[in-house]
Amino acid sequence: MNKLKLDSVRLAHTSAVVTAVFYAICWFLISSMPGFYMGMMRSWIHGVDITALPRTMMSPGLGLYGLVTMTAVAWITGYVFASVYNALGKK
């Protein structure tokens, strides 16, 4: 039986791109449709009342900072995931 070996860099790049796209979509939603976004987030966290949290508009700088850091974390996570997966598959 052939064992699948993951390309760590390719998986890291893929994780980073997908995360960046999702982050950009969320950033757009919170900026353009905050009510819809807050309702969606509430449904994702099992109905926890997030309206009690302070609400401020995210500045472009903060949004860009979040995009860059979340994308970096996704890249690292993808790379580590593939590396661990490959290491566990060795005999």
Side-chain angles (χ1 to χ4, degrees):
M1 176 179 202
N2 291 336
K3 294 195 184 244
L4 175 67
K5 183 172 191 258
L6 297 175
D7 181 335
S8 299
V9 173
R10 183 185 292 173
L11 183 62
H13 288 346
T14 303
S15 298
V17 168
V18 169
T19 298
V21 168
F22 282 145
Y23 187 92
I25 291 168
C26 286
W27 188 1
F28 170 77
L29 288 175
I30 194 86
S31 299
S32 63
M33 297 182 278
F36 170 78
Y37 180 82
M38 294 298 278
M40 183 177 67
M41 288 297 101
R42 186 173 182 198
S43 73
W44 286 5
I45 56 174
H46 311 291
V48 173
D49 184 12
I50 58 175
T51 59
L53 298 173
R55 287 182 64 187
T56 58
M57 291 307 291
M58 185 167 59
S59 69
L62 184 61
L64 185 58
Y65 179 72
L67 176 67
V68 169
T69 56
M70 184 172 261
T71 301
V73 167
W75 192 96
I76 292 166
T77 301
Y79 187 87
V80 170
F81 178 89
S83 297
V84 170
Y85 177 88
N86 291 334
L88 292 174
K90 293 180 182 175
K91 282 194 171 193

